[in-house]
Amino acid sequence: QVQLVESGGGLVQAGGSLRLSCVASGLAFSRRKMGWFRQAPGKEREFVASITWDADSTYYRASVKGRFTISRDNAKNTVYLQMNSLKPEDTANYYCGANVPGTMNYDYWGQGTQVTVSS
């Protein structure tokens, strides 16, 4: 049974930082590209960042580039999202996802962790 469990969300003031974690089990984590997505109320889920299986390449949406950093520890089956200089518009439920190898699709998702940034 595949499980992705996110943690690290919370309430923070604008300009603050949070570090999200996502622990995976039941899948070949070290062979999977992993991603972070977010969904704000009334909006569709959007891509935030992704990292290749070997951490050789990372990708970010434009609005978070330079503020967010995705990383992973394959020994711990964990992917992280360090979020600095947070803005109110970063408020959303953040999800991690496991990429289907060779595609742009994600087949496993966590339950999400809420990030709220106050102005």
Side-chain angles (χ1 to χ4, degrees):
Q1 179 183 0
V2 175
Q3 279 194 315
L4 301 178
V5 180
E6 301 96 336
S7 62
L11 173 63
V12 64
Q13 288 189 330
S17 298
L18 285 173
R19 189 195 195 202
L20 307 184
S21 300
C22 171
V23 180
S25 60
L27 78 166
F29 178 84
S30 62
R31 299 179 187 177
R32 293 277 199 136
K33 178 179 177 181
M34 297 295 294
W36 283 98
F37 293 74
R38 66 188 182 187
Q39 187 168 19
K43 296 188 177 181
E44 294 195 353
R45 185 176 298 188
E46 64 183 19
F47 169 80
V48 175
S50 65
I51 185 168
T52 51
W53 66 273
D54 56 359
D56 189 52
S57 296
T58 56
Y59 307 89
Y60 299 91
R61 71 179 297 108
S63 62
V64 308
K65 199 172 291 186
R67 300 188 296 122
F68 291 10
T69 303
I70 189 171
S71 61
R72 66 190 297 160
D73 184 339
N74 285 345
K76 296 182 179 180
N77 281 10
T78 303
V79 60
Y80 304 97
L81 185 68
Q82 177 67 44
M83 306 186 295
N84 299 329
S85 303
L86 282 161
K87 304 176 180 180
E89 52 264 42
D90 295 318
T91 295
N93 203 5
Y94 283 70
Y95 300 86
C96 69
N99 176 256
V100 178
T103 77
M104 297 292 289
N105 301 320
Y106 288 74
D107 57 353
Y108 296 110
W109 299 92
Q111 82 290 345
T113 186
Q114 178 67 36
V115 172
T116 303
V117 185
S118 63
S119 57

